[in-house]
């Protein structure tokens, strides 16, 4: 929770003054925490554009719910202004009404499906199991394959901590130190923790050298398609657990990773040349990109779709 001390003190005061459930207030703050970290400032200091953008990211189909959450932020901002926590006396939440939330609903899902590396890493922190972190960040960094087959047979011996590479079935790719550390932790995990109804559960793994291990009751398939489906289902469950499955899917994570790779490896003036035959085409960079993400053909329509991120 961003500026947790101030928020918990306000929650304590609200509980003593009016009947407001502590859980609802904490959940409201949890929803905005990632956005606060992204902007590196308290919600009480957001301007109106930032507030509207945040509510769009929730991808809610219920304007009334957004209106209730906004009322919590409005009251908290009033508290911050009164106690000199806020940087100004402007309360952006005071400028929004229920009619505004009707226009906000679901617009974000149509516009924003790309995530930055920082956002991916923040989401990784929210996942309790390292194997799930490995799938999320691994997909972002180029581990994919037909039917998610790249993930199936990755073992601890394929992870080169010194060279920062991971060996896949058809190639060896460079990866981040974060993914290396996550892979090692995932290998060392002995059980998978989750929730079944209201009860927490812990499923033991079958001991093996794999990063993504099997459970004792899992029927292991030799089919690449079926085995990959298990990872694909896991990815969907991860996005669902993070409450972003309504507006982000696996392909969006892959495309986010491609955009991140290009921005961090290719000079801006040469990016277009990866997809078009031009004088400044960097063939080596082009091949590196194709190799990282196991791409046979680079399509110009992909570049056109995401061109705005490269400007």
């Amino acid at each position: 929770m961003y500026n947790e001390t101030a928020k918990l003190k306000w929650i304590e005061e609200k509980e003593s003054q009016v009947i407001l459930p502590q859980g609802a207030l904490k959940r409201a703050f949890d929803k905005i925490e990632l956005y606060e970290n992204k902007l590196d400032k308290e919600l009480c200091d957001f301007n109106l554009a930032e507030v509207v953008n945040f509510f769009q990211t929730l991808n809610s189909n219920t304007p009334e719910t957004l209106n209730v959450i906004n009322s919590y932020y409005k009251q908290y901002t009033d508290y911050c202004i009164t106690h000199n926590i806020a940087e100004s006396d402007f309360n952006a939440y005071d400028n929004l009404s229920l009619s505004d939330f009707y226009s906000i609903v679901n617009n974000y899902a149509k516009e924003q499906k790309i995530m930055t590396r920082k956002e991916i890493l923040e989401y990784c922190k929210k996942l309790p199991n390292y194997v799930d972190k490995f799938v999320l960040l691994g997909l972002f960094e180029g581990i994919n394959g037909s039917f998610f087959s790249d993930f199936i047979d990755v073992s601890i011996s394929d992870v080169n901590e010194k060279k920062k590479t991971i060996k896949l079935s058809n190639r060896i790719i460079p990866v981040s130190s974060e993914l290396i550390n996550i892979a090692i932790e995932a290998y060392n995990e002995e059980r998978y923790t989750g929730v079944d109804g209201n009860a927490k559960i812990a499923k033991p793994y079958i001991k093996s050298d794999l990063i993504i291990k099997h459970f004792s009751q899992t029927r292991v398939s030799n089919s690449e398609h079926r085995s990959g489906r298990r990872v694909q289902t896991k990815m969907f469950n991860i996005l669902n657990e993070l409450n972003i499955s309504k507006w982000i899917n696996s392909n969006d994570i892959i495309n986010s990773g491609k955009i991140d790779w290009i921005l961090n490896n290719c000079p801006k003036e040469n990016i277009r040349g990866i997809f078009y035959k031009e004088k400044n085409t960097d063939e080596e960079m082009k091949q590196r990109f194709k190799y990282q993400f196991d791409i046979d053909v680079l399509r110009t329509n992909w570049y056109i779709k995401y061109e705005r991120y490269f400007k």
Side-chain angles (χ1 to χ4, degrees), residues 139-187:
L139 193 64
F140 183 83
E141 294 196 11
I143 303 177
N144 184 11
S146 175
F147 305 115
F148 288 73
S149 57
D150 276 352
F151 286 99
I152 298 169
D153 297 320
V154 177
S155 67
I156 190 62
S157 62
D158 296 323
V159 179
N160 192 316
E161 190 174 2
K162 186 176 180 180
K163 293 183 178 180
K164 291 186 174 56
T165 61
I166 292 181
K167 180 183 177 182
L168 306 175
S169 60
N170 63 342
R171 66 199 194 283
I172 299 174
I173 63 170
V175 297
S176 66
S177 56
E178 289 93 345
L179 186 57
I180 292 292
N181 294 335
I182 286 172
I184 294 170
E185 292 291 345
Y187 164 73

Side-chain angles (χ1 to χ4, degrees), residues 3 44-45 77-89:
N3 196 3
C44 63
D45 295 320
T77 300
D78 284 338
Y79 169 85
C80 291
I81 292 171
T82 302
H83 291 80
N84 296 316
I85 298 171
E87 293 183 357
S88 72
D89 60 359

Side-chain angles (χ1 to χ4, degrees), residues 117-135:
R117 173 176 292 277
K118 183 178 179 181
E119 288 172 319
I120 291 290
L121 291 173
E122 286 296 325
Y123 277 122
C124 282
K125 292 177 183 177
K126 293 179 178 291
L127 295 169
N129 299 288
Y130 276 93
V131 66
D132 291 341
K133 301 174 196 277
F134 177 71
V135 171

Side-chain angles (χ1 to χ4, degrees), residues 27 58 74 77 86 106 108 127 132 226 253 291 296 303:
R27 283 193 295 273
L58 294 181
K74 176 183 176 298
T77 300
N106 283 335
Y108 185 76
L127 295 169
D132 291 341
R226 289 183 179 178
I253 302 296
Y291 183 82
D296 292 326
Y303 173 80

